[in-house]
Amino acid sequence: MAEAQSHRPAAPGEDVKPFTPEKTKEIVMSLQQPAVFCNMVGDWPALHWNAKYLSAALAGKTIQFRLGLKTIGLVPQFETRCSYVKATLEEFLAWSCGQPPCLSGPFSCYEFSKYWAYADYKYIARIFEDKPEFFQDIRWSDFGFPGRSGEESTLWIGSEGANTPCHLDSYGCNLVLQVQGRIPYEESSIFSKVNVANPDLKRFPKFRNTTAHVVTLSPGQVLLVPRHWWHYVESIDPITISINSWIELDADHEARVEEAITRMLVCALKSAENPSDGDPWLNPTEVEATSHEINLQYLNKAVSAYFKCQKASESEQPCSSSSDAEQRTTASCKRKKREVGCEPEGCRLLTHEFGFSTFKAENLHKIPFGPHLIQVLPQSQETSSVGTVAVESDGRDLLHENEGGHFGKLHCTRKQLVMSNDCEMPTHQMGSDGSPNASQTALSTNDLLDCLVNPHVINLVARLLLERTRV
């Protein structure tokens, strides 16, 4: 049974929640498979944040939208393959309602029947910087995180068909509140080249063995995405709005050290060659590769934060993911994207990092699943009509999602997690005798980076570096 919030009678008008903040936090921090919280946010003012309300609140402020084609191909529509426009929510609503295209305006070149639009990963602290009172409309304290509000959350607004390719988030676990429609979803740091909505099974044959965990997230529900679960997201309603927040975990500190090493390698090698158009290593929103000096500062800060947390753990004091200043600095970092060259099924991922295999099945009976906490089951076990998010655990079962959702990352990203020596070479790169085609033997900077940012390599370098610093 769900645990009641308190034993005292509810005051008139008071919203009684099925779990206390303490119990909710315990679930969030311990559960290592996706689940949906119900009846937890009924009194949140943010539930009124529909598109028209936000359009009026933003009062003509422009935000960036990512646009992609509604056609489904074998290749995911990564950020590097999308178009971008800056527009007001009012202009977006007029376009999404199917109004005749105007001769001018940000969406004039994009026919609504052929394109979707997605205002993804919008920091609420930035878009409402002149209206900080809006931050309090979001109350993550009900989930056991006092002081966390809209200031530590992001906003996602999408049209039907808006999607994010299959990916996993570098840090933390993810809480996603659906406000309007049935989900848009985000993009994050590590992407798979598999288009889970239309997989290329000739190139990625092992993908046929994966299992999807699928759920349609509806308004008022909150989805928990555990650390390092793969997920694909697609909006299934005309307008969808979501709010999410990433909950920092102690394990994030070593990940930031690995990320800093990756940044230094990528920036050093990519800045040494002539820039080329369409380089998939760089996000189109990236201004430029950061300097070696800045990257070195970031590495030293990451190492310092790691040892600070270690020291706090030894003294049995709770350690936050980073200081407020460090969080603001990290959150402001632009994200670079890398399309990983292997299917998740074709890689032996780091199972100690990737969750479900470390969470024994017998522990599930301790979780209060029921009408207020819904377990996201594998698709084969789900008989109802489903649609949204899907996530994956340890590299053996890819979880994807077909209809709705969104996720993201408040931190600078690392690109190397799922690169692995165990990845199969795509079949089109093999000759008839099983040897690499001659056309594939000319190595590039990106080929070298693919090897250098292999998770095993980066993890080993990080551990050696931390050991050197410890001494």
Side-chain angles (χ1 to χ4, degrees):
M1 271 182 80
E3 178 177 308
Q5 183 171 10
S6 66
H7 298 290
R8 64 175 176 79
E14 181 181 7
D15 184 61
V16 178
K17 303 182 188 303
F19 306 111
T20 64
E22 295 76 18
K23 182 62 177 179
T24 308
K25 182 176 182 179
E26 178 187 330
I27 295 170
V28 169
M29 302 303 283
S30 63
L31 186 57
Q32 297 185 35
Q33 69 172 63
V36 176
F37 287 92
C38 301
N39 308 311
M40 287 292 294
V41 298
D43 58 346
W44 287 23
L47 288 183
H48 301 293
W49 285 24
N50 58 40
K52 290 184 178 180
Y53 178 87
L54 290 174
S55 178
L58 291 172
K61 178 178 289 188
T62 60
I63 55 178
Q64 181 168 270
F65 288 84
R66 177 166 59 95
L67 292 105
L69 290 168
K70 290 184 177 179
T71 55
I72 301 177
L74 293 176
V75 179
Q77 295 190 59
F78 296 110
E79 288 184 345
T80 52
R81 297 189 173 102
C82 290
S83 301
Y84 295 84
V85 300
K86 287 188 176 181
T88 64
L89 267 184
E90 185 177 5
E91 291 169 326
F92 166 72
L93 288 173
W95 174 78
S96 63
C97 289
Q99 296 181 5
C102 301
L103 296 178
S104 61
F107 293 103
S108 60
C109 297
Y110 304 95
E111 189 176 336
F112 177 71
S113 61
K114 296 180 179 179
Y115 287 88
W116 49 258
Y118 197 16
D120 48 2
Y121 213 93
K122 305 306 175 191
Y123 296 107
I124 292 174
R126 293 180 184 174
I127 63 175
F128 286 119
E129 60 184 349
D130 56 339
K131 298 180 178 180
E133 63 274 13
F134 276 71
F135 301 160
Q136 304 310 314
D137 286 4
I138 301 163
R139 304 168 179 173
W140 296 115
S141 57
D142 288 340
F143 284 74
F145 303 98
R148 183 176 289 266
S149 66
E151 193 170 11
E152 295 82 24
S153 305
T154 49
L155 181 67
W156 314 80
I157 305 171
S159 65
E160 185 175 3
N163 66 82
T164 295
C166 182
H167 69 280
L168 61 83
D169 300 328
S170 300
Y171 307 122
C173 59
N174 190 4
L175 291 173
V176 185
L177 164 65
Q178 193 61 22
V179 177
Q180 179 179 352
R182 290 166 297 169
I183 318 191
Y185 263 38
E186 140 6 53
E187 58 219 82
S188 183
S189 47
I190 300 106
F191 283 89
S192 169
K193 281 189 174 181
V194 180
N195 184 353
V196 296
N198 187 30
D200 185 347
L201 296 179
K202 289 184 178 180
R203 188 179 182 190
F204 306 106
K206 289 187 178 180
F207 186 79
R208 70 176 70 249
N209 300 323
T210 61
T211 302
H213 292 225
V214 184
V215 60
T216 299
L217 196 61
S218 298
Q221 295 181 330
V222 176
L223 173 68
L224 165 64
V225 182
R227 185 175 188 261
H228 287 175
W229 273 65
W230 289 89
H231 46 281
Y232 163 85
V233 189
E234 182 177 325
S235 173
I236 62 172
D237 283 337
I239 300 291
T240 54
I241 296 175
S242 300
I243 296 169
N244 87 297
S245 188
W246 286 276
I247 308 301
E248 298 85 359
L249 302 172
D250 287 349
D252 295 342
H253 290 284
E254 186 171 346
R256 288 196 180 89
V257 175
E258 295 180 3
E259 169 194 87
I261 295 169
T262 303
R263 284 182 61 169
M264 292 193 72
L265 289 171
V266 173
C267 291
L269 289 177
K270 297 303 292 185
S271 61
E273 66 175 9
N274 293 326
S276 58
D277 294 333
D279 190 334
W281 279 90
L282 298 179
N283 183 353
T285 61
E286 190 79 17
V287 177
E288 61 183 3
T290 48
S291 69
H292 180 76
E293 291 73 20
I294 291 177
N295 290 334
L296 189 59
Q297 291 177 16
Y298 180 78
L299 175 60
N300 278 286
K301 288 182 178 179
V303 170
S304 296
Y306 173 86
F307 284 112
K308 180 180 179 181
C309 184
Q310 289 286 96
K311 185 176 180 180
S313 297
E314 291 171 359
S315 60
E316 298 184 352
Q317 296 177 2
C319 61
S320 62
S321 176
S322 58
S323 67
D324 291 341
E326 288 171 335
Q327 287 185 21
R328 287 192 294 270
T329 300
T330 310
S332 66
C333 293
K334 296 285 187 177
R335 294 169 300 155
K336 298 188 183 77
K337 309 293 181 185
R338 181 64 172 116
E339 304 158 15
V340 300
C342 61
E343 52 188 315
E345 171 59 21
C347 303
R348 279 206 300 261
L349 302 184
L350 306 181
T351 55
H352 69 282
E353 287 193 1
F354 285 76
F356 189 65
S357 62
T358 65
F359 189 69
K360 295 182 179 180
E362 55 263 29
N363 290 334
L364 286 177
H365 79 276
K366 301 178 182 178
I367 302 297
F369 292 119
H372 305 297
L373 181 65
I374 302 172
Q375 187 176 2
V376 179
L377 298 172
Q379 196 169 27
S380 59
Q381 299 178 27
E382 181 58 73
T383 57
S384 61
S385 175
V386 292
T388 294
V389 68
V391 265
E392 140 174 279
S393 55
D394 63 358
R396 289 186 289 272
D397 296 316
L398 173 67
L399 317 127
H400 71 268
E401 155 246 335
N402 354 358
E403 301 179 290
H406 101 230
F407 311 115
K409 199 73 269 111
L410 292 177
H411 312 283
C412 305
T413 61
R414 56 198 262 241
K415 309 175 207 37
Q416 78 282 7
L417 264 178
V418 296
M419 297 302 299
S420 171
N421 289 330
D422 303 305
C423 298
E424 293 186 335
M425 181 178 290
T427 54
H428 71 277
Q429 294 185 10
M430 303 295 290
S432 58
D433 60 351
S435 61
N437 289 331
S439 60
Q440 298 295 328
T441 58
L443 297 176
S444 67
T445 302
N446 286 349
D447 292 322
L448 177 60
L449 281 172
D450 275 342
C451 296
L452 290 175
V453 300
N454 180 292
H456 303 297
V457 175
I458 293 295
N459 182 262
L460 175 60
V461 173
R463 291 178 180 275
L464 289 172
L465 194 61
L466 290 171
E467 188 62 32
R468 173 188 292 264
T469 308
R470 191 191 309 273
V471 175

